[in-house]
Amino acid sequence: ATATGGIPPYTYTWTLPNSTTKTGTELKIKYSEDGTKNIKIDAQDSEGNKKEETIKLEIQQYYDLTIEIRNQQNQIIKDALVNIKELNKNEITDSTGKVKFNIPKEEYEIIVNAEGYAIKTEKINLNQTTSLTIKLDIKQTATSSSSNKIQIEKPQNKATITNTNIE
């Protein structure tokens, strides 16, 4: 905290939500639960002049999410694009096939895209630090077989084709 006006030096008293007090220009505290916390700060100069402010803190827990990308043969896949849809965050896997995010507790849809592999989507409910392995399938390519070849059938003798009808 910093005060102006009055007559220095200043003293600072912080009153926490549980009514405990701390003194000093800085306050370092940890909260383990999400929610709103109101912290009161009193600044007093050397003549006893006071100013009081209340600071409203919105607490939201963040967790590390490490995602490892591998193929079905358990080989790492580097340079895969990992997207967390709800946050619109993208990261590229490193040489170990991993990416790391530090994100708030929530449910997420993770989309993974890598060259030569089918796109994979997984959902996760993040409520603690988590490591996740996602395995990708090789992208299927079209193959030629007799069932998907196009053949042209000739109309019967003396038939004529008009528009799309055979007569």
Side-chain angles (χ1 to χ4, degrees):
T2 304
T4 58
I7 300 170
Y10 305 100
T11 58
Y12 302 93
T13 304
W14 304 82
T15 305
L16 305 178
N18 65 2
S19 299
T20 60
T21 59
K22 307 261 183 193
T23 58
T25 58
E26 291 184 10
L27 175 67
K28 293 183 181 180
I29 52 176
K30 288 185 179 182
Y31 289 105
S32 59
E33 294 182 15
D34 293 351
T36 302
K37 308 290 184 198
N38 291 313
I39 298 175
K40 186 175 86 170
I41 180 168
D42 293 309
Q44 183 174 335
D45 72 4
S46 61
E47 295 292 314
N49 298 308
K50 292 183 179 183
K51 176 67 177 170
E52 179 182 298
E53 295 280 334
T54 299
I55 301 167
K56 183 178 181 178
L57 297 177
E58 294 293 333
I59 309 298
Q60 187 174 24
Q61 300 297 312
Y62 276 64
Y63 298 104
D64 287 335
L65 172 61
T66 303
I67 303 172
E68 181 178 49
I69 308 301
R70 293 184 171 267
N71 63 19
Q72 294 300 330
Q73 291 73 38
N74 215 30
Q75 298 167 317
I76 62 168
I77 300 174
K78 62 180 184 174
D79 300 324
L81 176 68
V82 180
N83 171 266
I84 298 183
K85 183 179 177 182
E86 292 76 7
L87 300 174
N88 198 25
K89 281 191 169 197
N90 295 305
E91 292 289 338
I92 303 290
T93 56
D94 62 17
S95 62
T96 66
K98 294 180 181 178
V99 293
K100 187 174 184 177
F101 297 92
N102 184 261
I103 54 179
K105 176 173 80 171
E106 193 172 318
E107 188 171 311
Y108 295 105
E109 185 174 343
I110 300 165
I111 303 166
V112 182
N113 191 359
E115 188 175 338
Y117 294 91
I119 295 173
K120 179 104 179 223
T121 301
E122 284 204 16
K123 290 191 178 192
I124 182 172
N125 188 7
L126 185 68
N127 56 14
Q128 64 184 9
T129 294
T130 301
S131 291
L132 174 68
T133 299
I134 298 176
K135 291 193 174 184
L136 302 183
D137 296 314
I138 293 175
K139 187 184 289 183
Q140 298 297 317
T141 57
T143 58
S144 64
S145 67
S146 60
S147 63
N148 61 10
K149 287 185 180 177
I150 297 175
Q151 297 181 359
I152 299 176
E153 304 262 339
K154 294 181 189 175
Q156 294 179 3
N157 282 344
K158 297 186 184 179
T160 57
I161 300 175
T162 58
N163 290 339
T164 57
N165 299 322
I166 299 177
E167 300 174 4

